[in-house]
Amino acid sequence: MQRELRSPDEEVRRLAVVSLAGHPLEETAELVFGAMGDQSWRVRKEAVAVLLGSGVPSPDVVEGLISLLRCHDNAGKRNAAVESLVGLGSVAVKPLCRHLNDYDHDLRKFVIDILGSIGSSDCVPLLIQAMDDPDPNVRSGAVENLGKIGDPQALPALLGALSEGDVWFRFTVLDALAAIGAPVPLPTIAPLMGETLLRRAIYDCLGAVGGMEAFPILLDGIQERARSAREAAAVAVMRLRNRSDAATRASIETSLRALNGTHLLDGILRSLGCAEFPALESLVALLGIIGDPRAAMPLVALSRHERLRAGCVQAFRGIGVAVLPELWDYFPSATPDERAFIAYLTGELQYAPGVERLIEGLKDEMPSLRAASLLSLGKLNVKSAVKRMARLLGDRDPLVRAAAREALDRLTATQPEAMADICAGLATSEHAARRRDAAILLAGLKDADRLYLLAKDEDATVRQAAVSSLSRLRDPQGVKHLVMALVDEVPEVRVAAAAALGELGGDEALQPLLLALNDADPGVQIAALRGLAHLKDDRALAGVALLVSHSRGAVLIAGLKTLAAVGGEAALTPVKEALSDGDEEVVEAAIEILARFGGEWIAECRDDLLRHPHWGVRSSFVRAMGETLGERALPYLKKAREGESDPLVRGEIEGLMDRLG
């Protein structure tokens, strides 16, 4: 084994570490520790996995891991030790705490960081003591990790520390207070405003924990010269607004709208050109509330970011349609993305003078502008453009074709005669894609006769579209056509038929859907189950239960959901049994279903689900505990956090504890 672990071949060393998993950790600890210092990260990762997969380690092993934190000449080994200790969770807390007075200040700092990552409240008193450590990095680390743990018992010590230490120490204290999120008395923080370097942290803190009394300070902060402080104040205003009740929110918005047209916005407008996410999202929302037209051009520039586009549209709703002439003046020199956004905004804000420019946009070489022009013409209800819009159903770009269908579908309600002529030509086209378009649009015209014909089309995609459209008609006469489609040779058509029957509902749909449960295609079975769930007819329970008894995967999940939807609490036995299924997705689905009916089931399976090997199941279960038990879940969440090795799940647990505590 020693020879393999010293091999020049990385894969040989990695496999040698894997083989250690079959031996008691007490016998192989030195070899595992050695592998944690390997030059290859893959070997180091494997060593960590072996250690964490070997059960609860002995105190000697834990102490051995802590000693690796002294490896100043091997960062890889030290990092592997940190990862292992964090992964051990509560097992490592007491041994780590014994080293908080170690002679090595670097080790003390590592220990504090690991305790913060584990997140155990048991170590909070000792971390509070560490705030007085002689080493400044240790003191700051103690404060930072008290914030990470998020236990309110640290608040008195943190508030007291605001009057101590240098500016960077107090900066860290403010960040910790914001992370804990518990209310902080404004008189404790306000005196710090005289320290310019602290203002960004103060605004962050007030945004997280301040009440309406903090709003004037944040409003003044919007005028800060320092960009980071100014942006932090703006973000804090939006955080305060978003977590306020309706009356307070209305008061905040009234105050913000009073800034419209004032010089107080100059700094915020400048920030739009250089801020980063997520500050930009808050700035965009803020400007939408204020409604200042000066924000129009910067918002158009920001719209090129997909992540910001919806927020920019919402902001323009607050600014109003009066800025559209300016935007169309800018249009010729705008970038392609900006031109598409202006065209889209024209429809959103119902700016009728832009129609001619939108019609020109239908011929533009850029697909994004063609698509945006189509959508806006549909929203503006432009009858004169119907034929030109219909021609784009055959556009070479799929996004344009989809936009054409969406826009024309909107016009079926407002321009039925013009659309009837269009659909008549599409329905008899030699191209299957055009007949499919007709099948989609005819639903808006309530043209059942043409849809019945297209449901028998030679092309499967046309039949599928027609069958789907039949559900939109709400025509009981369509049931027989859907029943015929349930025996179509193409599974996708049968899926569409089952889905349509479920949406139509009625007694006539029950038996066909029950028969569809016997279909050979899983997709059809799932569609039938969803249809039966929509019907909520308890006569379906026996057939659904039979399918559930011999199904797996997605079909089983759909079946469990249908049992719950149709039979309610009385039909949950198979759902509870699914908690022990070997498929983690089935288990997660069962947890989600059971959580809708309260938390009585939680106690009997809590220990098993908290130890489940798949992180997704553990995550789903702790979320269900929080949602169903409320504050009663806190002791179990605390225990789960201490034993949780996955950082994502641990983060979710901590978030739940913050909301419930």
Side-chain angles (χ1 to χ4, degrees):
M1 180 64 67
Q2 291 278 9
R3 185 175 65 255
E4 286 85 354
L5 288 171
R6 290 195 298 268
S7 170
D9 189 319
E10 174 190 21
E11 184 62 12
V12 172
R13 300 197 306 277
R14 190 188 71 80
L15 292 175
V17 175
V18 171
S19 70
L20 295 175
H23 302 278
L25 186 57
E26 284 69 22
E27 298 176 6
T28 62
E30 290 305 317
L31 296 176
V32 173
F33 291 167
M36 286 183 177
D38 195 276
Q39 62 184 0
S40 165
W41 69 268
R42 295 176 67 237
V43 176
R44 297 196 298 272
K45 279 286 187 184
E46 208 68 68
V48 172
V50 167
L51 187 141
L52 294 178
S54 297
V56 179
S58 68
D60 288 342
V61 170
V62 178
E63 285 297 330
L65 276 173
I66 294 173
S67 70
L68 298 184
L69 300 176
R70 301 185 192 278
C71 295
H72 301 295
D73 59 343
N74 191 329
K77 177 177 282 192
R78 195 172 59 234
N79 292 339
V82 169
E83 184 179 351
S84 299
L85 288 163
V86 171
L88 289 175
S90 58
V91 173
V93 170
K94 287 185 178 179
L96 285 164
C97 287
R98 287 195 291 269
H99 288 269
L100 283 172
N101 293 318
D102 194 273
Y103 67 88
D104 184 345
H105 60 83
D106 286 336
L107 186 134
R108 297 198 302 274
K109 177 64 165 62
F110 279 123
V111 166
I112 286 172
D113 289 341
I114 294 167
L115 288 170
S117 295
I118 292 174
S120 173
S121 295
D122 293 342
C123 64
V124 167
L126 293 173
L127 292 186
I128 291 174
Q129 292 179 23
M131 289 172 60
D132 294 322
D133 193 278
D135 185 88
N137 290 328
V138 175
R139 292 197 300 272
S140 294
V143 169
E144 180 183 345
N145 284 286
L146 284 169
K148 188 184 294 186
I149 293 171
D151 193 317
Q153 68 174 303
L155 284 176
L158 291 170
L159 291 172
L162 283 175
S163 59
E164 304 170 2
D166 61 25
V167 66
W168 298 115
F169 180 74
R170 285 180 285 165
F171 194 101
T172 306
V173 173
L174 287 165
D175 279 351
L177 290 169
I180 292 173
V184 173
L186 184 61
T188 307
I189 296 179
L192 302 175
M193 288 295 297
E195 185 65 67
T196 304
L197 293 174
L198 288 179
R199 286 182 185 170
R200 198 277 296 165
I202 291 172
Y203 298 140
D204 284 343
C205 186
L206 292 177
V209 303
M212 189 57 186
E213 71 280 0
F215 180 65
I217 294 176
L218 298 177
L219 205 57
D220 288 342
I222 291 176
Q223 307 170 59
E224 287 273 6
R225 287 187 177 182
R227 182 172 67 86
S228 62
R230 183 173 66 239
E231 292 168 9
V235 171
V237 165
M238 293 307 299
R239 291 185 70 184
L240 175 58
R241 177 250 186 199
N242 292 341
R243 58 185 169 81
S244 297
D245 58 38
T248 304
R249 182 178 298 190
S251 176
I252 289 173
E253 291 178 356
T254 299
S255 297
L256 289 175
R257 282 192 285 272
L259 301 179
N260 191 330
T262 70
H263 71 281
L264 303 181
L265 281 187
D266 294 346
I268 294 297
L269 293 171
R270 288 196 302 273
S271 287
L272 290 180
C274 51
E276 299 179 355
F277 297 107
L280 273 175
E281 294 171 301
S282 293
L283 294 175
V284 168
L286 179 68
L287 288 168
I289 294 171
I290 295 170
D292 195 309
R294 290 176 295 165
M297 295 308 299
L299 287 171
V300 168
L302 287 177
S303 70
R304 68 182 184 276
H305 299 290
E306 186 174 354
R307 181 173 167 181
L308 293 173
R309 201 166 297 142
C312 289
V313 172
Q314 184 61 34
F316 270 105
R317 292 193 182 104
I319 294 171
V321 71
V323 297
L324 261 297
E326 177 188 358
L327 299 188
W328 276 111
D329 287 344
Y330 169 69
F331 184 88
S333 59
T335 68
D337 286 341
E338 291 173 340
R339 290 201 297 272
F341 181 75
I342 293 169
Y344 180 82
L345 204 58
T346 298
E348 282 292 304
L349 299 185
Q350 292 290 295
Y351 181 66
V355 165
E356 291 304 318
R357 305 289 290 272
L358 293 174
I359 291 175
E360 291 177 18
L362 298 179
K363 300 178 289 186
D364 195 87
E365 63 179 13
M366 295 300 300
S368 58
L369 179 54
R370 298 199 299 276
S373 298
L374 280 163
L375 293 172
S376 285
L377 288 167
K379 291 170 186 174
L380 288 166
N381 190 24
V382 181
K383 180 179 179 180
S384 62
V386 169
K387 290 184 179 179
R388 277 172 280 196
M389 294 165 68
R391 283 197 287 270
L392 291 182
L393 289 168
D395 194 272
R396 63 184 180 275
D397 189 278
L399 292 178
V400 176
R401 297 196 297 271
R405 284 191 293 271
E406 181 179 339
L408 291 168
D409 190 44
R410 182 185 291 267
L411 291 174
T412 56
T414 58
Q415 307 291 343
E417 293 182 4
M419 285 304 302
D421 290 341
I422 295 294
C423 287
L426 294 172
T428 55
S429 171
E430 62 180 9
H431 300 292
R434 299 292 74 73
R435 300 198 301 277
R436 179 177 175 274
D437 292 333
I440 294 170
L441 298 172
L442 285 168
L445 294 172
K446 309 297 183 186
D447 192 336
D449 292 337
R450 281 201 174 96
L451 277 176
Y452 295 153
L453 289 173
L454 291 172
K456 303 173 185 176
D457 195 271
E458 62 182 6
D459 185 89
T461 64
V462 178
R463 298 198 302 275
Q464 180 184 0
V467 166
S468 295
S469 289
L470 285 174
S471 66
R472 292 174 59 190
L473 294 185
R474 302 294 173 189
D475 180 9
Q477 298 300 317
V479 171
K480 63 181 180 181
H481 295 276
L482 295 176
V483 172
M484 290 176 58
L486 279 176
V487 295
D488 195 277
E489 62 183 357
V490 177
E492 288 77 11
V493 178
R494 304 200 299 275
V495 167
L501 280 168
E503 291 178 27
L504 277 177
D507 288 344
E508 298 86 354
L510 178 62
Q511 287 305 317
L513 286 173
L514 286 173
L515 288 174
L517 295 180
N518 300 316
D519 197 281
D521 187 86
V524 179
Q525 292 178 318
I526 291 170
L529 286 165
R530 290 173 178 165
L532 291 168
H534 192 265
L535 292 184
K536 289 184 169 55
D537 191 323
D538 59 10
R539 290 175 293 175
L541 284 173
V544 175
L546 179 61
L547 179 59
V548 164
S549 68
H550 61 265
S551 295
R552 301 178 62 184
V555 176
L556 175 55
I557 291 172
L560 296 174
K561 291 179 178 178
T562 301
L563 285 175
V566 176
E569 201 162 355
L572 294 182
T573 299
V575 184
K576 293 177 181 176
E577 292 172 351
L579 291 173
S580 58
D581 195 273
D583 184 336
E584 65 271 9
E585 292 184 3
V586 172
V587 180
E588 290 178 44
I591 291 170
E592 180 185 344
I593 294 166
L594 290 169
R596 299 178 201 152
F597 294 87
E600 294 181 4
W601 56 280
I602 287 177
E604 59 186 277
C605 59
R606 182 173 54 237
D607 292 341
D608 288 340
L609 291 177
L610 287 176
R611 290 195 301 263
H612 196 280
H614 194 273
W615 69 270
V617 171
R618 301 195 301 276
S619 176
S620 296
F621 182 65
V622 297
R623 192 162 54 246
M625 277 204 303
E627 292 171 356
T628 58
L629 300 183
E631 292 183 0
R632 290 178 295 143
L634 283 170
Y636 309 115
L637 290 171
K638 179 179 178 182
K639 182 179 178 181
R641 180 182 65 178
E642 293 173 2
E644 181 56 57
S645 60
D646 187 283
L648 292 176
V649 182
R650 191 186 305 112
E652 182 153 24
I653 294 171
E654 291 170 352
L656 283 168
M657 292 177 68
D658 286 343
R659 290 196 293 275
L660 297 175

